[in-house]
Amino acid sequence: MSSQFEIVGIRPADAKPPVRRQKWYRGKPLFAAALLGLIVAGCLGCGYIMTKDPSYMNLSNCNVAPDREFLFGTDTMGRDIFSMIWYGGRISLFIGAAATVVSTFLAIVFGALSGTAPEWLDTLLMRLTDILLSVPNLLVTVLLQAILGEANVLSLSLVIGVTSWTSIAKVVRTEVRQIRGSEYVIAAKCMGGGFFYILRKHLTPNFISSIMFMVVMNVRSAIVAESTLSFMGIGLPLEVISWGSMLSLSEKALMTNSWWMILIPGAFIVATLLCITSIGNYIRKKANNTQSNL
Amino acid sequence: MNDDILLDVRHLTHVFPLSKKIAVKALDDLSFQIRRGEIFGLVGESGSGKSTAARCIMNLYRPAAGEIIYKGVNICDPAQFRTHRKMLQTTRQLIFQDSSSSLDQRMKVCDIVAEPLKIHRIRPARGSLRAEAEFQLRYVGLDAGFLDKYPSELSGGQRQRVAIARALSMEPELLVADEPIASLDVSIQAQIVNLFRHLQQEHGFSFLFIAHDLAMVEFLCDRVGVMYHGRLVEAAPAKELFSSPVHPYTQALLSAIPIPDPRLERARQIRQFTEDPENFQGVLTEVSPEHYVLMREGEHHG
């Protein structure tokens, strides 16, 4: 007898093969995160990798194709594109992040206000958002920028942020309307929690996962908006280097047949956007999965 | 028991508009009083307005008419409410029926229990908020191991204990419990009711206990009010109400309680109760000391 107890006629369970543990990186956007991390790190540490002064205009070397000295070539004003990419990326990414902070803050406050307000105020606020949403974004941006005057990095992020909160606010409002009747919110109200206390402690943690995707996508659209505005010449001036203002040189570049001036900043923008999109997609999937953890 | 009245509800009426034309009268001229240190039970069938009364008392609804005097403050008056806001918010606490939705799923137990202290920025008596939460948890029979858990990791009875701990962390003078045991199973119900009894003796708060389980009410409460369609039809000390009910609705309600003895249970007759509007007219009249019954002038229920 092999073991102490044995039941006659029992069929022993098959020895289970050891369960292979899921690799931690399965299903995670590892490549996108790494690439984005690389770009962000390069932009933040641009002082270490720049080979030239990005704003130095070397007119004897304009329109140089990529070679060993100018890795990505030079633009029509003789600036080194390799150095400009990292230096300008800082501003583009900063605008993306700052505009997102502005718009997310506005969206959460406005959406939560509308969600907790009595019905008439809610209707009023939401129709107001609808009006803002129906006006083309670019138009409002140009108008606001014209009012603020000469564009600089801060004013541009403010303008982009102020024009892009509406759709997030709508999602926040819907979520808040569902949560506000929950008994824990009523209990907090009974205990004397004010609007901002309840917003911070109870509402935001419960709806943050559903707007996370939109927030990440907002970084992307803010970078695009900056590039668009700069390309059209109403964003950052030429001497402030950003990916968008680098692209604004591209029409001249087309005539001189210098592809590197368009392709290289363009490629960086596209790569960054794709990485952000892929991370945002992952966040959305995860938020949907873990909604019900009961 | 002293006769100091803590809460005085006078002619409270609340109406829910369903549409522009139709409205439901959830509370209709409801009056009762709760003394300091007393457990007052409010019973009645579903939809009789028990929860609406609780929510009016907690200022969650603004009643259409009538007044609620709490410690001499008319809490239905917005101006008086504002001047006494802090006192009202710290000394009245509410416990809900469904503990799974009355606790925030994304907060840990220690944060939930200490939440009222955090809102009012009260210096915890036991050093840190965490120590305070641990103390309150121990009071309701949970140990420190629960501090870092989330509500979804607890059972229904444990969650209700956490909700009670949260309400008690402010040392309230009035505790309103809106069907606190209705969503629990029977053995846990008994535990929670025993806990309430014990806590009430320790803290001495006044307690408005809303339930539809008559046996629990008989066990726990000092005085009981019976509600029907938003009206109080009978109010009496618990013993007297259960031994000699006067109003036909109360008699019918009490005759529906099963008796845990098969021979007596077989003989039990459920009294038929007809919705005779005659029975719900008139005023509360004292038939014996402390025993009030809704009846018309000069009328006498057999």
Side-chain angles (χ1 to χ4, degrees):
Chain A
M1 204 178 274
S2 56
S3 65
Q4 217 166 354
F5 299 104
E6 198 170 326
I7 299 167
V8 179
I10 201 166
R11 189 158 51 100
D14 300 328
K16 271 186 193 157
V19 183
R20 192 175 291 169
R21 274 190 60 214
Q22 282 255 332
K23 291 282 201 306
W24 62 271
Y25 53 78
R26 277 291 293 275
K28 293 195 169 70
L30 214 61
F31 179 72
L35 190 60
L36 189 65
L38 211 65
I39 292 175
V40 171
C43 291
L44 290 179
C46 61
Y48 298 104
I49 45 177
M50 282 191 307
T51 51
K52 298 263 188 310
D53 178 3
S55 55
Y56 179 65
M57 299 178 192
N58 186 352
L59 287 178
S60 58
N61 275 324
C62 54
N63 292 333
V64 175
D67 59 13
R68 196 161 301 161
E69 196 190 351
F70 305 103
L71 288 172
F72 291 163
T74 63
D75 67 359
T76 45
M77 286 181 271
R79 296 179 291 186
D80 176 35
I81 289 183
F82 179 76
S83 307
M84 287 169 80
I85 282 287
W86 301 112
Y87 189 77
R90 230 166 35 166
I91 286 171
S92 285
L93 292 175
F94 174 80
I95 289 178
T100 305
V101 169
V102 171
S103 64
T104 309
F105 177 76
L106 278 176
I108 288 181
V109 170
F110 198 90
L113 202 66
S114 180
T116 49
E119 201 162 339
W120 64 271
L121 188 59
D122 176 45
T123 317
L124 190 74
L125 291 175
M126 277 301 114
R127 291 300 82 79
L128 204 73
T129 353
D130 284 338
I131 292 170
L132 277 179
L133 207 57
S134 60
V135 178
N137 238 341
L138 203 58
L139 219 63
V140 185
T141 318
V142 172
L143 178 74
L144 282 176
Q145 194 58 71
I147 294 169
L148 282 177
E150 183 76 18
N152 59 34
V153 176
L154 281 180
S155 78
L156 195 63
S157 15
L158 188 71
V159 166
I160 294 173
V162 165
T163 51
S164 61
W165 55 270
T166 40
S167 50
I168 302 182
K170 277 196 166 297
V171 176
V172 169
R173 178 229 169 224
T174 319
E175 291 284 323
V176 167
R177 273 203 111 64
Q178 283 174 14
I179 305 168
R180 70 162 184 178
S182 332
E183 285 173 343
Y184 57 82
V185 175
I186 296 175
K189 239 181 243 168
C190 277
M191 289 178 232
F195 172 73
F196 280 100
Y197 172 82
I198 291 175
L199 177 60
R200 190 161 44 89
K201 282 282 173 181
H202 294 294
L203 299 180
T204 312
N206 281 294
F207 67 62
I208 197 80
S209 59
S210 45
I211 62 166
M212 212 51 220
F213 172 73
M214 299 185 78
V215 168
V216 172
M217 289 301 111
N218 213 305
V219 177
R220 187 192 67 169
S221 45
I223 293 176
V224 174
E226 183 268 326
S227 308
T228 316
L229 289 175
S230 299
F231 175 75
M232 294 193 309
I234 41 183
L236 295 170
L238 261 183
E239 62 271 16
V240 178
I241 300 166
S242 76
W243 290 344
S245 68
M246 287 167 79
L247 275 182
S248 65
L249 288 174
S250 54
E251 46 184 320
K252 284 176 202 151
L254 275 177
M255 286 189 270
T256 54
N257 204 14
S258 31
W259 52 267
W260 56 92
M261 266 181 247
I262 309 163
L263 204 64
I264 287 168
F268 267 81
I269 292 180
V270 170
T272 311
L273 301 190
L274 282 178
C275 291
I276 293 177
T277 311
S278 144
I279 291 170
N281 244 337
Y282 168 71
I283 289 173
R284 191 191 52 186
K285 263 189 224 156
K286 207 169 163 227
N288 286 346
N289 279 344
T290 52
Q291 262 312 300
S292 56
N293 55 353
L294 263 178
Chain B
M1 189 198 292
N2 58 17
D3 270 7
D4 195 3
I5 286 161
L6 182 72
L7 180 81
D8 188 357
V9 178
R10 290 182 192 163
H11 308 294
L12 194 65
T13 302
H14 189 72
V15 179
F16 287 114
L18 285 186
S19 65
K20 276 185 182 151
K21 282 178 190 159
I22 315 164
V24 173
K25 220 172 191 179
L27 292 178
D28 186 4
D29 199 20
L30 176 74
S31 305
F32 63 88
Q33 294 174 332
I34 300 181
R35 303 191 182 95
R36 279 181 194 277
E38 178 187 51
I39 305 184
F40 186 81
L42 211 50
V43 295
E45 59 189 67
S46 300
S48 59
K50 309 181 298 282
S51 297
T52 312
R55 282 167 183 239
C56 283
I57 291 167
M58 292 306 290
N59 280 104
L60 293 172
Y61 295 149
R62 182 173 295 173
E67 49 191 17
I68 302 169
I69 314 286
Y70 172 75
K71 290 174 84 176
V73 179
N74 181 6
I75 60 174
C76 298
D77 180 27
Q80 284 200 39
F81 174 74
R82 266 196 296 278
T83 44
H84 297 276
R85 177 195 294 265
K86 180 125 187 163
M87 182 274 282
L88 291 170
Q89 283 167 348
T90 50
T91 60
R92 296 175 308 169
Q93 293 294 330
L94 179 62
I95 296 172
F96 292 95
Q97 171 182 355
D98 184 6
S99 57
S100 64
S101 71
S102 71
L103 307 176
D104 191 340
Q105 298 291 320
R106 285 167 199 271
M107 280 167 86
K108 284 181 182 169
V109 167
C110 63
D111 295 326
I112 292 172
V113 174
E115 192 185 358
L117 298 171
K118 220 186 264 172
I119 290 177
H120 290 286
R121 298 204 180 80
I122 293 173
R123 273 255 321 273
R126 286 155 202 89
S128 64
L129 286 172
R130 197 180 163 84
E132 183 75 29
E134 188 182 337
F135 174 81
Q136 294 295 349
L137 278 187
R138 189 153 298 148
Y139 236 109
V140 296
L142 297 175
D143 61 35
F146 288 97
L147 281 173
D148 286 317
K149 293 202 167 168
Y150 287 94
S152 55
E153 296 173 293
L154 306 181
S155 72
Q158 288 166 342
R159 274 201 296 260
Q160 199 58 279
R161 281 168 196 262
V162 171
I164 295 167
R166 173 175 68 180
L168 291 181
S169 66
M170 290 303 286
E171 307 275 339
E173 289 174 53
L174 174 69
L175 190 63
V176 177
D178 184 4
E179 306 217 14
I181 55 171
S183 61
L184 305 172
D185 64 56
V186 178
S187 59
I188 309 294
Q189 280 187 0
Q191 284 179 15
I192 296 288
V193 165
N194 274 322
L195 176 69
F196 274 136
R197 204 188 172 109
H198 175 72
L199 290 171
Q200 201 273 337
Q201 280 162 2
E202 293 259 317
H203 290 261
F205 49 76
S206 305
F207 191 15
L208 174 60
F209 182 77
I210 294 172
H212 49 235
D213 186 331
L214 295 162
M216 292 297 179
V217 169
E218 186 181 9
F219 172 73
L220 182 68
C221 299
D222 300 322
R223 286 197 307 137
V224 181
V226 181
M227 281 185 77
Y228 182 75
H229 279 203
R231 307 204 71 168
L232 199 65
V233 297
E234 191 163 357
K239 277 206 189 82
E240 182 164 340
L241 185 91
F242 282 90
S243 60
S244 55
V246 174
H247 195 276
Y249 177 69
T250 317
Q251 289 169 350
L253 197 66
L254 295 186
S255 74
I257 305 176
I259 307 165
D261 181 334
R263 271 164 298 182
L264 294 176
E265 171 71 14
R266 232 168 276 139
R268 181 170 68 100
Q269 283 189 340
I270 296 180
R271 291 188 51 152
Q272 284 301 313
F273 170 69
T274 46
E275 259 190 64
D276 186 3
E278 284 286 299
N279 284 328
F280 300 103
Q281 308 273 317
V283 289
L284 285 174
T285 317
E286 192 164 19
V287 292
S288 58
E290 296 261 314
H291 191 159
Y292 299 89
V293 180
L294 187 72
M295 60 170 70
R296 281 186 153 172
E297 214 74 33
E299 183 194 9
H300 195 77
H301 289 298

